[in-house]
Amino acid sequence: MNALLDNLNPEQHAAVTLPPEPALILAGAGSGKTRVLTTRIAWLIQTGQVAPHSLLAVTFTNKAAKEMLTRLSAMLPINTRGMWVGTFHGLCNRLLRAHHRDAGLPQTFQILDSSDQLSALKRMLKALNIDDEKYPPKQLQYFINNAKECGLRAKDVEANDDFNRKFVELYALYDEQCQREGVVDFPELLLRCYELLDRNQILREHYQARFRHILVDEFQDTNSLQYAWLKLLANYGKQPTNALFAVGDDDQSIYAFRGANVANMEKFEREFRVRHHIKLEQNYRSHGHILEAANTLIRQNSRRLGKNLWTASGEGEPLRVYEAPTDMLEAQWLVEEIKNLIAEGYSREEIAVLYRSNAQSRVLEHALFSAMIPYKVYGGLRFFERAEIKHALAYLRLIENKDDDTAFLRVVNFPTRGIGARTLEQLQDTARTYNQSLYASVPMIAGKAGSNLTAFVNLIEQMRFAAQGLTLPEVIEQVIHQSTLITHYQNEKEGQDRVDNLQELVNAATAFISEEGLAQDTGATTSLVLNDTSAESAPNVAPSTPLANFLAHAALEAGDNQAAEGTPAVQLMTVHAAKGLEFNAVFLTGLEEGLFPHENSLVELDGVEEERRLMYVAITRARKRLYMSLAQSRMLFGQTRYSVKSRFLEELPENTLKWLTPKVQALGSNWSYGASAQSNFGGSNGQYGKKDRAWDEAWDKQDNAQTAAASAKIRQKQGEHASGFRIGQAVFHTKFGEGVILELEGQGADARAQIKFRRHGNKWLALGIAKLTAI
Ligand code: ATP
Ligand code: MG
């Protein structure tokens, strides 16, 4: 008996040991799909059916890829370095780096994340003198990405009106701009890679012969281009096709809004004449009540392939539901519960806080931070997206690739070196006239402006020269000092955390390098974008530099957790980001109509069904304990919103739920505030109304008197001030930046607020004068 296969149930065993032919494992959440996929890789290698470098496995996130490699190296005494395990983007990046010449890209091509892409589009529209109200850059970005994800170049897009014709024209111009600058956006990574393999027979045949086994996790979320890419590698249409092993769950298809197509599952079955279908029905993750709630919920969807899940682990605890008057109180409650969980012995990293929209995290973070509970946010403002980090990366990108205009514009005058907007316009005009990069156009600018620009170019040249012979962390150390970024932030009041972040970038590079070294020595996990030793046997492989690899890593890591490692922390993330993960305790917050299901979904075909699948994903992340909460009022996007509870709560079986607050349905559904920000909560403004009293009575009945007392204090503090602001509100000031209101005093012309600014500390400001906006 093979030890790898112990502890698998019969269906899992059958799936792991299928013959090398196309197969589809369709199964619900927590039934062991990912485990089956990983075990199959180990089994194929162990039984000598495939060499580690001759299989390709696609995961949904970089984190999942790393986890898979860690598990593999625990199962087998092999070096996982260089294995082709990664995300679609990671794998395409690797192929494009190895074959950049054949792909028509410079060796040093840089990856644009979506905010870089948007600024590149805005820059282009401006240069073309195009009204961005008439042709909104965001819409153009969506148009372009959508086309690319369908595998369409500008020339392939059919436009049937003037507006779309203009977009097609702009799409073509944008692609030219990217090509000129040597940059590649996210969907381009895939499309370019697809075209490379499609057009280059030698490469295609090489990789088709190499990847006899292709394994794909979360198959339900592949889009058309990804499916086409898989088909190409799997040698579709010829005999024999490669063994494409797909695992997925139609009930967890949650990326339709990004072009994912659950119909790819049926298409795959049909096109590859799949003979091996396996269903896994035992759930090993969640206790009974959690599973029953998930099953009941998803049964309300009409379009399902249909499957059942059962568990042998008993009912477990009921799902706890909490209804708070405000988002602040919801967060306060959550903090208290987390403290209780920790006291009960739960470790912090086993606790996840999920939300539907990123914007919800601010209040939750604030509460956790104030309670000094360490937490990490997945998604949101990620390490590599912070302004200071993007500045440092822009210098590094210019060292690698002079033609990267996006990077050039980001730092040419940061820190300031007397280069104004007019000079830059002149430079951009020149660059356009000569069809060359901004960097290359600098010598053509005369006068003082020209000498300031030349000084900048000289700085970059010096950096490039100095970088020779240095290690990656040394290069970064050098760049953050020579660019004067460090001194710039040191001089900025409260710029210390930015200085720390820049230092952290050096640490990130050290970790990146040592991970590579470690992997070499011990066969431990490795990252996706390392030098491709395993591709050496492929034709025409280009070597890649550590800096290029690191920059690609920075661009691709977006979406993965970048917080400092070491301290166990509560995990915060959107429901989308939680896909595939599991935690002992899960808080599912903001269960309000309009938020979850999201209001945009209500008008879309299949919108609510997609939201319900998202809710199904959320519920099934929990192993033992699931909390669900909602707030009757919430500050979002500068407005107080009043909501009733989510329909999804109503759809759960009552016997699985335990209401922590009295089930005050009457309150929830009868409250009909308008969209105005008139609040009735709290006594401080003298507007204590009937509904508040009803709430208070209900509130008083709840068991946890301590929480009630703490929350009441906050509620009192939260009373909305006549100025329209309230304590705890996040605000923006043109000079001091972001802050939070600590105190409010006085009325009318005397009204003033004490605000804690992130960078400038506490300040009292007169509300009549200070230009404050709620954020
Ligand atoms: P999702 O749909 O959420 O991605 P999944 O189907 O991929 O879930 P896994 O993450 O592979 O499920 O497995 C869920 C949990 O159940 C994991 O902790 C896994 O180790 C465990 N598990 C799976 N199969 C077995 C088994 N046969 N015996 C014990 N535990 C198992
Ligand atoms: Mg999984």
Side-chain angles (χ1 to χ4, degrees):
M1 183 71 194
N2 188 322
L4 278 178
L5 308 177
D6 292 351
N7 306 323
L8 293 180
N9 67 34
E11 293 77 25
Q12 291 177 331
H13 185 287
V16 166
T17 56
L18 280 173
E21 289 169 23
L24 177 63
I25 315 302
L26 176 69
S31 59
K33 294 183 296 300
T34 304
R35 181 167 162 149
V36 160
L37 192 139
T38 313
T39 312
R40 179 166 168 87
I41 296 177
W43 179 78
L44 287 169
I45 295 172
Q46 196 192 51
T47 52
Q49 298 183 57
V50 70
H53 295 151
S54 300
L55 60 80
L56 179 105
V58 189
T59 60
F60 211 73
T61 59
N62 291 320
K63 186 172 185 287
K66 281 188 186 168
E67 248 167 49
M68 199 168 275
L69 290 168
T70 312
R71 281 208 224 167
L72 280 173
S73 41
M75 287 185 206
L76 294 175
I78 57 158
N79 188 346
T80 54
R81 180 179 145 75
M83 279 183 72
W84 290 81
V85 177
T87 60
F88 281 107
H89 287 129
L91 295 165
C92 287
N93 170 59
R94 184 164 163 183
L95 279 164
L96 291 176
R97 295 255 168 226
H99 305 287
H100 68 89
R101 223 169 288 122
D102 291 310
L105 286 169
Q107 171 155 30
T108 53
F109 76 83
Q110 301 296 315
I111 301 168
L112 294 185
D113 66 19
S114 67
S115 72
D116 288 337
Q117 185 191 23
L118 188 63
S119 53
L121 283 167
K122 285 182 181 162
R123 177 157 49 82
M124 179 184 84
L125 292 178
K126 194 148 178 264
L128 295 169
N129 254 329
I130 288 177
D131 182 359
D132 63 5
E133 298 220 327
K134 195 163 168 211
Y135 299 103
K138 271 214 149 138
Q139 205 178 334
L140 178 61
Q141 181 179 29
Y142 181 81
F143 177 88
I144 292 174
N145 291 350
N146 197 34
K148 287 190 181 182
E149 273 157 11
C150 293
L152 302 173
R153 290 285 173 200
K155 63 177 172 35
D156 310 317
V157 181
E158 274 182 40
N160 36 24
D161 59 37
D162 284 349
F163 185 81
N164 278 306
R165 267 190 286 278
K166 189 73 186 169
F167 264 19
V168 170
E169 185 191 322
L170 292 170
Y171 175 10
L173 290 170
Y174 165 74
D175 266 1
E176 278 172 27
Q177 172 176 304
C178 288
Q179 187 62 31
R180 198 167 53 239
E181 296 175 8
V183 294
V184 167
D185 57 43
F186 279 148
E188 180 74 21
L189 277 174
L190 260 144
L191 182 53
R192 191 61 83 99
C193 186
Y194 174 81
E195 289 170 347
L196 170 72
L197 295 171
D198 189 38
R199 291 173 192 166
N200 190 321
Q201 189 189 350
I202 296 174
L203 281 183
R204 183 176 64 249
E205 287 177 356
H206 168 82
Y207 285 106
Q208 283 172 339
R210 174 185 204 147
F211 298 132
R212 289 287 183 215
H213 286 271
I214 299 174
L215 303 97
V216 189
D217 199 1
E218 309 276 4
F219 190 76
Q220 76 280 355
D221 279 325
T222 49
N223 64 30
S224 317
L225 181 58
Q226 289 163 344
Y227 180 62
W229 186 84
L230 289 169
K231 259 171 87 171
L232 205 60
L233 279 174
N235 201 17
Y236 171 75
K238 299 193 203 103
Q239 283 303 329
T241 57
N242 290 329
L244 181 51
F245 184 88
V247 309
D249 178 3
D250 57 310
D251 289 333
Q252 295 186 69
S253 152
I254 54 174
Y255 280 93
F257 71 100
R258 272 207 215 145
N261 190 356
V262 68
N264 283 340
M265 292 179 114
E266 286 146 305
K267 216 168 164 188
F268 167 56
E269 283 190 282
R270 198 170 50 248
E271 295 189 336
F272 281 78
R273 300 211 183 87
V274 176
R275 294 193 303 135
H276 307 286
H277 298 93
I278 292 185
K279 285 194 174 186
L280 308 174
E281 301 200 314
Q282 181 170 0
N283 173 297
Y284 289 91
R285 179 181 294 146
S286 309
H287 285 168
H289 280 316
I290 295 172
L291 196 61
E292 185 185 341
N295 280 340
T296 310
L297 176 97
I298 200 66
R299 238 176 264 135
Q300 330 247 349
N301 267 7
S302 56
R303 298 166 54 194
R304 299 182 64 211
L305 299 177
K307 52 196 151 6
N308 289 313
L309 274 181
W310 62 276
T311 173
S313 69
E315 278 186 348
E317 302 171 357
L319 285 56
R320 294 161 161 81
V321 192
Y322 185 85
E323 181 165 12
T326 70
D327 50 350
M328 303 274 275
L329 289 170
E330 182 194 32
Q332 193 59 36
W333 161 79
L334 178 133
V335 161
E336 293 304 321
E337 286 294 346
I338 288 179
K339 285 185 189 159
N340 293 338
L341 283 173
I342 293 170
E344 267 182 58
Y346 280 77
S347 67
R348 288 192 292 266
E349 69 274 24
E350 272 305 332
I351 304 173
V353 178
L354 309 184
Y355 34 84
R356 172 68 183 82
S357 305
N358 266 315
Q360 285 168 255
S361 79
R362 184 194 297 276
V363 174
L364 299 168
E365 283 189 63
H366 184 70
L368 288 163
F369 180 80
S370 310
M372 296 198 291
I373 298 174
Y375 67 89
K376 285 180 193 170
V377 186
Y378 284 69
L381 200 55
R382 298 168 281 252
F383 180 73
F384 285 114
E385 286 177 4
R386 295 189 184 137
E388 61 277 17
I389 298 302
K390 289 201 84 167
H391 283 128
L393 293 175
Y395 279 102
L396 293 164
R397 278 163 56 167
L398 279 178
I399 292 181
E400 271 291 294
N401 172 13
K402 299 177 194 178
D403 296 338
D404 186 339
D405 285 356
T406 305
F408 183 99
L409 286 172
R410 178 174 273 276
V411 289
V412 63
N413 198 35
F414 194 94
T416 44
R417 34 182 86 87
I419 298 170
R422 201 173 308 145
T423 304
L424 289 178
E425 268 173 35
Q426 196 190 345
L427 183 67
Q428 281 172 288
D429 284 345
T430 312
R432 227 176 358 265
T433 310
Y434 292 93
N435 196 22
Q436 61 186 17
S437 69
L438 298 172
Y439 200 97
S441 309
V442 163
M444 297 175 172
I445 307 293
K448 177 94 177 72
S451 58
N452 286 346
L453 284 168
T454 306
F456 173 69
V457 163
N458 288 343
L459 173 70
I460 302 291
E461 293 297 329
Q462 270 169 30
M463 288 178 175
R464 183 178 302 115
F465 182 73
Q468 288 168 10
L470 294 184
T471 64
L472 179 62
E474 285 166 352
V475 172
I476 296 178
E477 186 81 53
Q478 188 239 137
V479 162
I480 60 182
H481 284 99
Q482 252 191 290
S483 64
T484 70
L485 277 176
I486 288 269
T487 27
H488 171 84
Y489 288 122
Q490 270 164 349
N491 293 335
E492 201 178 67
K493 217 173 157 203
E494 308 226 352
Q496 189 53 41
D497 54 343
R498 293 186 188 252
V499 173
D500 293 346
N501 283 338
L502 286 173
Q503 217 56 55
E504 188 57 35
L505 185 64
V506 180
N507 298 341
T510 311
F512 179 75
I513 290 292
S514 78
E515 206 169 73
E516 193 172 0
L518 237 181
Q520 240 159 357
D521 297 335
T522 63
T525 66
T526 183
S527 169
L528 300 172
V529 285
L530 302 176
N531 276 334
D532 186 10
T533 50
S534 65
E536 272 159 15
S537 61
N540 238 348
V541 177
S544 192
T545 68
L547 178 54
N549 287 337
F550 181 68
L551 289 169
H553 165 79
L556 290 167
E557 279 280 282
D560 278 13
N561 184 13
Q562 294 301 327
E565 297 298 322
T567 334
V570 172
Q571 318 272 305
L572 266 67
M573 67 194 86
T574 61
V575 181
H576 278 102
K579 201 166 75 142
L581 306 180
E582 57 188 18
F583 306 91
N584 282 335
V586 169
F587 288 83
L588 180 48
T589 64
L591 289 177
E592 297 134 36
E593 279 295 297
L595 198 56
F596 199 178
H598 196 277
E599 56 203 3
N600 295 350
S601 73
L602 305 176
V603 292
E604 282 164 22
L605 193 70
D606 192 36
V608 173
E609 295 218 346
E610 172 134 337
E611 293 288 304
R612 196 175 281 112
R613 292 193 289 271
L614 197 53
M615 179 77 179
Y616 173 77
V617 169
I619 293 175
T620 53
R621 297 310 97 199
R623 284 199 191 108
K624 295 187 198 154
R625 191 174 290 183
L626 178 62
Y627 293 90
M628 292 181 285
S629 61
L630 66 142
Q632 293 164 345
S633 83
R634 176 179 300 280
M635 271 303 287
L636 262 186
F637 311 115
Q639 261 197 334
T640 307
R641 301 155 53 119
Y642 299 90
S643 317
V644 296
K645 67 166 157 296
S646 166
R647 70 189 69 189
F648 297 147
L649 271 175
E650 301 288 351
E651 291 174 4
L652 302 179
E654 201 57 48
N655 68 305
T656 63
L657 306 180
K658 175 183 174 192
W659 287 80
L660 300 179
T661 38
K663 201 178 170 205
V664 276
Q665 253 165 333
L667 283 179
S669 48
N670 288 346
W671 285 12
S672 51
Y673 292 103
S676 83
Q678 272 295 311
S679 169
N680 266 2
F681 295 126
S684 66
N685 59 4
Q687 289 186 11
Y688 188 83
K690 209 167 99 199
K691 286 151 193 160
D692 301 286
R693 204 167 301 123
W695 166 259
D696 273 358
E697 279 163 15
W699 180 274
D700 285 342
K701 282 188 204 140
Q702 77 157 344
D703 322 336
N704 196 339
Q706 211 184 352
T707 318
S711 307
K713 220 163 116 193
I714 298 173
R715 281 165 64 210
Q716 198 185 1
K717 276 190 134 190
Q718 259 188 243
E720 194 164 284
H721 191 257
S723 59
F725 290 105
R726 57 178 175 77
I727 290 167
Q729 183 165 14
V731 289
F732 181 80
H733 183 268
T734 41
K735 184 154 167 226
F736 302 123
E738 278 184 29
V740 173
I741 298 185
L742 298 179
E743 294 291 339
L744 285 161
E745 279 186 10
Q747 298 295 336
D750 293 333
R752 55 192 208 120
Q754 190 190 28
I755 299 162
K756 182 174 192 297
F757 288 102
R758 262 173 66 90
R759 314 222 162 277
H760 296 269
N762 293 1
K763 294 200 185 307
W764 278 101
L765 298 178
L767 291 171
I769 301 167
K771 287 203 171 55
L772 277 185
T773 36
I775 50 174

